Amino acid sequence: MIVLKTTKELALMKEACVIAAGALRAAGTAVQPGVSTAEIDKIAYDYITKRGANPTFLNYNGFPATACISINDEVIHGIPSKNRVIKEGDLVSIDLGATLNGFVGDNAATFAAGRISPEAKRLSDTTRESLYEGIKMAVAGGRVGDIGSAVQRYCESRGYGIVREFTGHGVGRNMHEDPAVPNFGTPGRGVRLLPGMTIAIEPMINQGSGAVKVMPDGWTVKTRDGKLSAHFEHTVAVTPDGPVILTQL
Ligand code: MG
């Protein structure tokens, strides 16, 4: 079921989204060679809880941390650990959510640890740019397929693979609501976009094939071919005035 939000509810949700965005920025700023992913996670946890919000991911389906931190060939859902130390040249994707006022803000970004290869930078830049291509299509009267096809075209034309087994999603009082928002699709097809819809658009883009595998920890998703992956996400509201990025600081 798709839940439309009133203007008042969007204002409450915006407050959650701003905390999620601030926590992501704080966590991303801490990405450096020599820092463990557990330390990054702690920064995100402290940021969210000090502002009276709850870390949405913590204990969600048993996930043990505030942030998913996924490095290089890890696509999503990496579990922070004090034993996982970031190295020079790593591509570090952080995904986190904050719950406040009964609403969830969900966002993600990929950060560079020190100097990264030109190939890694191109992948990360393209993934970020594709997110904004998708957001542009989040307009009332459009279709979910418009968003997916915009992301897909942007990335595939640059030689990258689209992860198809995981998608963006509606977000609101729950982290995962309808509709699914795939990073591929056909223009003019899929669920119609209506004012008051709030969706998380989140391209997960691979340097090689889009094929992925889930690791034995039950969470971490990696590329099958061992090549790099990047991930960017915003929570976006469809409004009469066009798309509004709620997780924009
Ligand atoms: Mg999400």
Side-chain angles (χ1 to χ4, degrees), residues 57 95 106-107 167-169 175-176 200 202 231 233:
F57 292 15
D95 187 356
D106 187 7
N107 62 177
T167 68
H169 48 91
M175 176 152 64
H176 293 115
E202 50 175 324
H231 181 205
E233 174 182 34

Side-chain angles (χ1 to χ4, degrees), residues 37-225:
T37 54
E39 289 173 86
I40 307 262
D41 188 68
K42 172 89 164 67
I43 289 166
Y45 176 87
D46 289 346
Y47 187 99
I48 291 168
T49 54
K50 276 181 188 160
R51 284 157 183 82
N54 288 317
T56 314
F57 292 15
L58 186 61
N59 301 321
Y60 185 87
N61 291 337
F63 188 77
T66 295
C68 297
I69 306 181
S70 310
I71 300 177
N72 296 334
D73 64 334
E74 295 170 351
V75 179
I76 48 171
H77 301 169
I79 301 171
S81 163
K82 62 179 175 8
N83 299 320
R84 189 72 191 273
V85 177
I86 293 168
K87 299 191 302 291
E88 177 81 19
D90 278 348
L91 205 52
V92 182
S93 296
I94 303 176
D95 187 356
L96 60 82
T99 305
L100 184 75
N101 305 326
F103 286 98
V104 174
D106 187 7
N107 62 177
T110 296
F111 301 91
R115 286 176 65 92
I116 57 172
S117 70
E119 295 76 23
K121 182 172 186 336
R122 180 171 173 270
L123 172 68
S124 180
D125 287 348
T126 300
T127 306
R128 186 184 58 250
E129 290 155 11
S130 78
L131 168 59
Y132 289 95
E133 292 299 308
I135 290 171
K136 270 191 236 166
M137 306 309 287
V139 293
R143 300 273 184 169
V144 163
D146 301 343
I147 297 171
S149 73
V151 171
Q152 181 180 14
R153 237 179 309 121
Y154 194 83
C155 295
E156 286 186 344
S157 67
R158 286 158 178 78
Y160 295 127
I162 308 288
V163 174
R164 289 170 176 261
E165 289 165 57
F166 297 88
T167 68
H169 48 91
V171 54
R173 291 200 182 271
N174 296 297
M175 176 152 64
H176 293 115
E177 296 184 351
D178 289 335
V181 184
N183 295 303
F184 57 91
T186 306
R189 301 290 289 273
V191 169
R192 188 177 291 285
L193 301 168
L194 300 170
M197 280 177 69
T198 44
I199 52 176
I201 303 175
E202 50 175 324
M204 292 155 256
I205 305 301
N206 294 352
Q207 187 179 31
S209 144
V212 296
K213 59 184 174 186
V214 179
M215 300 312 288
D217 66 17
W219 282 105
T220 312
V221 177
K222 284 191 180 189
T223 61
R224 273 190 189 271
D225 60 14

